[in-house]
Amino acid sequence: HPLHEERRLSARESELLFKINQGIPPDLQRRYDELIEKRDARTLTAAEYEELLRLTDQVELLDVKRIEYLLELARFRKQPLSLLMNELGIPPTTDA
């Protein structure tokens, strides 16, 4: 008997973990960060401001989807969301 039995992931768990770990596409994150820097430096043009609004919506939607996947995985594993996030190394959000 092995001392440490490896936990086998179901197909659904694997799919949820993949979606949770995808994150924001690097090109979108790069452009978003660039526009935030310009906004903070007060050098944002009107067109860039509109782009920033669109990108903010996209980023927020991706964050919501990630939380939905985390909640589903927590329910699947029958464990509190905070415990799951801790196990996955995801810091609790401080945004309100």
Side-chain angles (χ1 to χ4, degrees), residues 66 83-92:
R66 186 177 194 219
L83 178 61
L84 174 67
M85 290 176 68
N86 187 45
E87 285 178 3
L88 296 177
I90 299 170

Side-chain angles (χ1 to χ4, degrees), residues 23-25 28 57-67:
I24 297 168
L28 184 125
D57 287 345
Q58 282 184 274
V59 167
E60 288 176 354
L61 182 60
L62 290 169
D63 284 344
V64 167
K65 294 302 287 178
R66 186 177 194 219
I67 291 169

